[in-house]
Amino acid sequence: NGDNGGASEDLTPSENLSYEISGNSYVLTGMGDCQDVEVVIPTTFEGKPVTSIGKYAFESNENIESITIPASVTSIGDDAFSFCTELSEVNFLGTIDEWAQIDFATQFSNPLNCAGKLYINGDLVTDAVLTTTTKISNYAFYYGTSLTSVTIPNTVTRIYAGAFANCYNIDENSVIADHLTQGGTPANSNDFKKIAFYTNRMPTWDSKIWNFINSNTYFSSIFSTLGVPCKCKYDRQFYN
């Protein structure tokens, strides 16, 4: 990856954001009185971890240009980043495997729907090399336009809805997913070779794709749920 020219190097936590207590942690609920255009969400607030970004937290914010999200955040609520028209960079202070496991409530919960560019600890992600995650969450890389290749490890058993929808710069020949597991045993590479993701720039695509690849590896509509035409390409035996 290596390109950190775009991500903000100032990681001083933003002040005056608004929060709500939820059990032993905090949910960030909005901008509050914060005027930052480069928002840095803190790992903790008043001694407790910030584990969630609440629904509509940044909805229709036309000022923020970048958002830095700590690894403590594991869920983002409904439409938290919808219509953030100036947002151009997302910086996550964890691993790409942790990012892939965040619970995004909707596609507009993921700030990539506006920004496109994902940075991990300041480095632009072009080659998404996952190594330890067991799942790729709903909309995890939705509209991740900085991605050009993806490596999916044999630890992954589920990829959820919209995980790579509209990642239209991914080259289908660069996607490595030969070793998805089947009942804990690596699947035969002839059974599952490559995955490609397309947007409506493609003129045609297959009309029907099985949701179940096998009993333990499950793709529940990788496409966008908004009807944006996307395609996931498997060996012939997996679609008709």
Side-chain angles (χ1 to χ4, degrees):
N1 296 329
D3 177 9
N4 62 358
S8 173
E9 296 181 0
D10 182 7
L11 297 182
T12 303
S14 295
E15 298 181 351
N16 300 317
L17 296 167
S18 60
Y19 303 88
E20 287 182 359
I21 190 73
S22 177
N24 292 319
S25 63
Y26 275 98
V27 177
L28 187 149
T29 58
M31 284 292 287
D33 294 324
C34 180
Q35 299 297 315
D36 293 352
V37 295
E38 296 182 347
V39 175
V40 179
I41 299 172
T43 301
T44 62
F45 179 70
E46 294 185 346
K48 297 182 184 296
V50 177
T51 59
S52 182
I53 299 173
K55 60 184 180 180
Y56 316 124
F58 296 95
E59 182 186 33
S60 300
N61 187 303
E62 298 180 351
N63 297 314
I64 61 171
E65 298 172 359
S66 70
I67 185 82
T68 296
I69 300 173
S72 59
V73 169
T74 57
S75 66
I76 303 181
D78 293 355
D79 300 354
F81 290 95
S82 60
F83 304 108
C84 294
T85 55
E86 298 303 311
L87 185 62
S88 60
E89 296 174 359
V90 179
N91 188 27
F92 182 63
L93 302 181
T95 67
I96 195 165
D97 290 274
E98 289 172 322
W99 176 267
Q101 296 178 80
I102 292 175
D103 180 13
F104 296 100
T106 70
Q107 58 269 51
F108 302 120
S109 303
N110 190 332
L112 291 178
N113 90 85
C114 294
K117 294 181 180 179
L118 175 64
Y119 293 80
I120 299 292
N121 297 305
D123 291 326
L124 180 65
V125 178
T126 55
D127 304 317
V129 181
L130 301 165
T131 58
T132 61
T133 186
T134 59
K135 69 174 184 177
I136 303 176
S137 295
N138 293 341
Y139 315 114
F141 296 98
Y142 183 79
Y143 260 113
T145 56
S146 66
L147 300 183
T148 59
S149 69
V150 178
T151 300
I152 301 173
N154 61 4
T155 54
V156 171
T157 57
R158 286 195 173 189
I159 299 180
Y160 289 88
F164 294 97
N166 299 321
C167 294
Y168 53 76
N169 289 320
I170 292 178
D171 178 354
E172 67 172 284
N173 296 314
S174 72
V175 180
I176 302 171
D178 289 347
H179 302 294
L180 286 175
T181 60
Q182 181 176 6
T185 302
N188 187 306
S189 61
N190 290 326
D191 290 341
F192 188 89
K193 291 184 175 180
K194 296 188 184 299
I195 303 170
F197 310 94
Y198 298 92
T199 68
N200 54 6
R201 294 185 178 192
M202 298 299 294
T204 60
W205 34 79
D206 302 302
S207 61
K208 182 178 179 182
I209 297 176
W210 299 113
N211 282 337
F212 289 88
I213 293 175
N214 55 51
S215 60
N216 202 38
T217 304
Y218 160 54
F219 286 71
S220 173
S221 174
I222 294 179
F223 329 125
S224 166
T225 57
L226 289 182
V228 177
C230 300
K231 174 181 172 184
C232 188
K233 180 180 178 183
Y234 305 111
D235 270 356
R236 287 189 298 274
Q237 65 184 22
F238 293 133
Y239 70 88
N240 61 14

